Amino acid sequence: MVIRLRNSGAEQPYAELCAVVDLMLRIAGSLLSNPSGALDITDIAALRAYGQKYIARLLVPVAD
C-alpha cells in the first residue's frame, strides 16, 4: 500500500506513509469486524464518503 500511495502522489517520508497504512488497515479491520456499526459497509457511496472525509485526511501533510 505504501508503494501505491507513493505512486498516487503521496510525498510524505516512507515512515509516515507506513504509519498511515497501519492506521488505514486498523480502521478497515475494525469496520469489517463490526459490520453492524454506524457505517454500512455494503454501501459503496457511503464508504467513499467516509474515506474522503476521514481516511484521506491521513495523507494531507500538516504544516509545522
Side-chain angles (χ1 to χ4, degrees):
M1 284 182 69
V2 171
I3 293 169
R4 181 165 289 214
L5 290 173
R6 180 73 74 217
N7 290 340
S8 297
E11 298 178 355
Q12 292 89 336
Y14 180 79
E16 288 183 23
L17 287 177
C18 286
V20 168
V21 167
D22 180 61
L23 288 169
M24 288 177 163
L25 292 173
R26 289 173 187 267
I27 291 168
S30 176
L31 291 171
L32 292 172
S33 67
N34 186 17
S36 63
L39 179 63
D40 181 4
I41 63 171
T42 63
D43 182 350
I44 300 299
L47 289 172
R48 182 172 288 118
Y50 183 90
Q52 290 171 341
K53 185 172 183 178
Y54 301 108
I55 305 300
R57 292 178 185 213
L58 295 172
L59 293 169
V60 178
V62 178
D64 292 330

